[in-house]
């Protein structure tokens, strides 16, 4: 079986007390059939540090972007374009809008979001979108910037079924994290039942949002398996079917050949 952690922050894991090094993280993941992952940056200096930490590994792809909560200071769109052009970068982001924590940077968040999509269209790389308390503006920008030309995913989905439908209509994929396993997440589970298997991804968003039964601990890519197991039950399919579908979806969205995924050895 082959699972992909479609969104993790490998540079944020605890390498002092929980993991010996990146290879240790990868080995723990592989032991639970999580054999490929997408490492996501949240700032441009962070992207440089992340890629230096990870090196050029066949089982890790990169995403380059500036998170909506990291818009306090201006940064260079041209630098984003330059870094994102690296062939090892398969996606833009994470980008998007977050009005829950920062309303004072709304205009800057919106400008950044638009630019990520424009570069994504230019480079033919999909966008990884974060949204919180910004549903209408997020959907409006996705439409206005013609996101269907590059595609994308709403990562760590926490919206409702209606929002899922609007994203699916735009050709988007929807990624589910450990939140779907939380006791009070029934509305999210309803949306997950609605999203078709061929438009679904699974992720950890490590080191955040550890799924049940690991809540309260630092998350890690190995626990993608817990999310996948839960989602398989929710969708009424066996885990092998869900793994095969979400891996194919990852390949299709991020233009990572299935041969690269299935030939990966950790």
């Amino acid at each position: 079986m082959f699972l992909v952690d479609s969104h993790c922050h490998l540079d944020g894991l605890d390498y002092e007390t929980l993991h010996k090094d990146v290879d240790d993280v990868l080995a723990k993941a592989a032991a639970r059939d999580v054999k490929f992952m997408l490492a996501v940056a949240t700032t441009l200096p962070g992207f440089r540090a992340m890629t230096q930490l990870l090196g050029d590994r066949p089982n890790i792809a990169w995403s380059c972007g500036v998170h909506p909560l990291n818009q306090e200071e201006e940064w260079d769109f041209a630098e984003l374009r330059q870094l994102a052009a690296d062939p090892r970068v398969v996606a833009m982001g994470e980008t998007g809008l977050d009005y829950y924590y920062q309303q004072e940077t709304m205009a800057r968040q919106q400008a950044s979001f638009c630019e990520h999509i424009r570069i994504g269209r230019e480079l033919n790389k999909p966008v990884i979108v974060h949204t919180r308390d910004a549903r209408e503006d997020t959907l409006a920008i996705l439409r206005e910037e013609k996101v269907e030309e590059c595609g994308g995913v709403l990562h760590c989905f926490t919206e409702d079924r209606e929002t899922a439908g609007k994203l699916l209509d735009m050709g988007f994929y929807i990624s589910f994290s450990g939140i779907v396993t939380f006791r009070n997440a029934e509305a999210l589970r309803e949306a997950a039942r609605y999203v078709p298997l061929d438009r679904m991804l699974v992720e950890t968003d490590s080191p955040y949002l550890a799924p049940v039964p690991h809540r309260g601990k630092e998350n890690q890519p190995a626990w993608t398996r817990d999310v996948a197991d839960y989602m398989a039950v929710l969708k009424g399919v066996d885990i092998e079917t869900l793994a095969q579908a979400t891996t194919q979806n990852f390949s299709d969205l991020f233009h990572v050949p299935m041969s690269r995924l299935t030939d990966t050895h950790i």
Side-chain angles (χ1 to χ4, degrees):
M1 190 166 61
F2 196 109
L3 285 164
V4 178
D5 184 351
S6 69
H7 190 112
C8 54
H9 302 282
L10 293 176
D11 54 330
L13 301 183
D14 180 359
Y15 294 104
E16 295 295 323
T17 58
L18 294 182
H19 313 289
K20 289 181 278 188
D21 51 26
V22 175
D23 287 331
D24 186 32
V25 172
L26 298 181
K28 291 170 181 172
R32 302 201 65 207
D33 299 311
V34 182
K35 300 174 184 176
F36 197 93
M37 52 207 69
L38 177 54
V40 179
T42 57
T43 67
L44 300 187
F47 172 80
R48 287 193 166 94
M50 178 187 80
T51 55
Q52 185 174 5
L53 169 71
L54 300 178
D56 193 0
R57 296 170 182 267
N59 41 33
I60 302 175
W62 304 342
S63 182
C64 181
V66 181
H67 194 285
L69 294 179
N70 292 326
Q71 301 291 338
E72 297 91 343
E73 298 180 4
E74 292 188 13
W75 50 274
D76 187 0
F77 291 159
E79 184 182 6
L80 172 64
R81 165 67 175 76
Q82 179 186 14
L83 294 172
D86 188 308
R88 293 168 292 186
V89 173
V90 301
M92 306 297 305
E94 62 187 283
T95 183
L97 303 173
D98 193 316
Y99 298 165
Y100 181 83
Y101 285 111
Q102 289 188 10
Q103 294 192 0
E104 66 277 9
T105 62
M106 284 171 59
R108 195 170 286 172
Q109 288 184 45
Q110 292 166 9
S112 170
F113 190 17
C114 291
E115 194 64 27
H116 279 77
I117 299 171
R118 290 167 191 165
I119 296 173
R121 287 166 53 202
E122 177 188 351
L123 299 177
N124 192 31
K125 296 184 180 184
V127 290
I128 297 173
V129 178
H130 166 110
T131 186
R132 189 167 187 189
D133 281 11
R135 174 182 178 271
E136 294 305 324
D137 283 357
T138 297
L139 292 172
I141 286 175
L142 290 173
R143 289 192 198 97
E144 290 162 9
E145 294 297 332
K146 302 177 182 175
V147 76
E148 67 276 5
E149 294 183 8
C150 63
V153 58
L154 200 298
H155 105 91
C156 196
F157 187 82
T158 55
E159 302 294 323
D160 58 13
R161 174 174 168 162
E162 180 187 0
T163 305
K166 293 178 184 296
L167 291 164
L168 293 170
D169 288 344
M170 281 189 266
F172 247 56
Y173 288 77
I174 295 175
S175 182
F176 293 93
S177 71
I179 294 176
V180 77
T181 71
F182 294 179
R183 182 173 55 84
N184 61 349
E186 188 50 45
L188 177 58
R189 286 188 279 274
E190 180 185 351
R193 293 185 190 99
Y194 169 73
V195 174
L197 205 55
D198 64 358
R199 300 284 285 282
M200 179 179 293
L201 298 175
V202 287
E203 66 170 275
T204 59
D205 201 15
S206 308
Y208 316 107
L209 304 172
V212 174
H214 310 290
R215 285 203 71 179
K217 300 177 182 178
E218 178 183 287
N219 206 355
Q220 59 177 290
W223 296 345
T224 307
R225 177 60 186 266
D226 296 278
V227 178
D229 281 338
Y230 193 93
M231 289 296 297
V233 173
L234 205 58
K235 299 297 289 181
V237 299
D238 58 62
I239 182 60
E240 290 82 5
T241 299
L242 186 126
Q244 184 176 8
T246 53
T247 298
Q248 183 66 60
N249 295 343
F250 182 90
S251 173
D252 293 344
L253 173 61
F254 294 111
H255 313 299
V256 178
M258 283 294 287
S259 58
R260 177 181 174 187
L261 297 177
T262 56
D263 290 348
T264 296
H265 298 286
I266 299 183

